[in-house]
Amino acid sequence: MELNSIFALGDDAEMNESMLQACSLSPLQQAVVIKGIRNGFAEYSSYLMALPATPTNNYKPKLRSDIINTAIEREVLNTPAAALSVENKKASFHEYIVLRDINRQVSVLVQHLPESRQIMSQSKYRGEFALYNIDRLISEGFSEEDIEQLELDFDDYKQVSLSLEPRYFQFCVVVCYDGNKGADARIFEGALAPNQDQWIYRKEITHVALDNLEHNSATVEVQLTKLKTEVQESNYGLRLKDVR
């Protein structure tokens, strides 16, 4: 699958994509998350049909998110070969789930993002998850020139990390869907730059499915230990458009 980035990559795009495989989702992991999103949309539609009409619909975005997250969690638990676990987290009033690759320092956030928008608004909790993304790529073999080929200003990210060894650097993958599109939503996988102003990479994974995977296998375990200290989430309010 070619890298469907919002940047124009250089001649070494194939090499960059190969190195990104050390941090990005496996086809099986992609398929499990996609199946959860699709099942969540179907269940959400059934819930709406059973609910009475109301003059306002403020509950719908949160209900949709909760049902989709529940469906994703169920698919993860039912597919142990995907090597994912689920954690429930909270940032201020916003509850969300984090998927963790149990063999690698890779976290996964599943987010609603309207297709009319290229990227989410900045938020404290997403920034904390994306903090080590550049450092992790460097630890996987990316050079300064590789980072520049992704049209990221390397100088902006040289000082983002704490003084931890490379094996402690987590990488955060974001899976996005437009909740307003329902079953027709396209699904993307990407990773944010630490300051959240652009994507390191983004690719469409809409058509990855469990029943047609060529390589239906779990991720390869690598020697990465748990972070020495968990990143603590501040009690930050989020912009309403982030959670609708």
Side-chain angles (χ1 to χ4, degrees):
M1 181 182 297
E2 291 185 355
L3 209 62
N4 182 19
S5 174
I6 60 174
F7 333 108
L9 301 183
D11 293 336
D12 293 329
E14 184 175 345
M15 176 192 68
N16 288 340
E17 183 176 4
S18 176
M19 278 193 271
L20 280 169
Q21 296 306 314
C23 302
S24 57
L25 298 183
S26 71
L28 177 57
Q29 291 173 333
Q30 292 172 344
V32 166
V33 176
I34 291 168
K35 185 177 180 182
I37 293 172
R38 296 295 188 214
N39 288 347
F41 275 130
E43 293 166 21
Y44 171 65
S45 295
S46 297
Y47 271 94
L48 290 184
M49 292 177 63
L51 292 174
T54 57
T56 58
N57 297 311
N58 295 323
Y59 67 92
K60 286 187 177 180
K62 292 183 179 179
L63 178 63
R64 181 185 65 217
S65 176
D66 288 342
I67 292 175
I68 289 176
N69 286 346
T70 300
I72 292 171
E73 180 178 34
R74 183 170 61 245
E75 291 304 321
V76 166
L77 296 178
N78 289 339
T79 317
L84 292 171
S85 63
V86 184
E87 295 178 18
N88 295 303
K89 306 284 282 184
K90 187 174 183 178
S92 187
F93 61 86
H94 178 52
E95 296 181 83
Y96 62 100
I97 61 171
V98 183
L99 309 183
R100 306 277 193 184
D101 186 307
I102 64 176
N103 294 324
R104 305 178 295 169
Q105 285 283 43
V106 176
S107 301
V108 186
L109 299 176
V110 183
Q111 311 264 279
H112 158 68
L113 178 66
E115 288 185 12
S116 60
R117 296 180 57 195
Q118 287 282 6
I119 202 165
M120 293 81 69
S121 301
Q122 292 181 339
S123 73
K124 180 66 174 178
Y125 83 97
R126 273 194 294 267
E128 289 172 344
F129 277 100
L131 179 64
Y132 294 101
N133 280 356
I134 296 296
D135 301 275
R136 178 61 181 274
L137 291 181
I138 293 171
S139 73
E140 295 291 348
F142 267 62
S143 66
E144 181 172 345
E145 290 74 23
D146 294 325
I147 301 297
E148 290 174 347
Q149 285 170 8
L150 296 176
E151 294 194 355
L152 298 173
D153 188 344
F154 186 81
D155 290 332
D156 287 347
Y157 307 108
K158 283 184 178 179
Q159 303 298 323
V160 300
S161 70
L162 301 177
S163 56
L164 298 177
E165 298 175 50
R167 68 177 182 273
Y168 296 123
F169 295 152
Q170 74 169 337
F171 191 81
C172 182
V173 172
V174 182
V175 176
C176 300
Y177 63 89
D178 187 342
N180 300 314
K181 296 282 187 177
D184 296 325
R186 298 163 66 196
I187 300 173
F188 296 87
E189 173 193 331
L192 294 169
N195 63 10
Q196 306 173 69
D197 64 343
Q198 56 186 315
W199 295 99
I200 295 173
Y201 78 93
R202 188 181 69 167
K203 58 186 177 183
E204 184 172 359
I205 58 173
T206 306
H207 302 295
V208 178
L210 283 171
D211 57 0
N212 63 5
L213 287 182
E214 295 181 2
H215 304 289
N216 193 351
S217 60
T219 55
V220 177
E221 183 172 1
V222 293
Q223 297 302 312
L224 293 171
T225 59
K226 295 290 185 181
L227 288 172
K228 287 182 177 179
T229 56
E230 289 289 335
V231 177
Q232 297 297 315
E233 293 188 356
S234 302
N235 187 27
Y236 264 68
L238 303 179
R239 299 178 186 178
L240 190 58
K241 62 183 178 182
D242 282 340
V243 296
R244 282 200 167 193

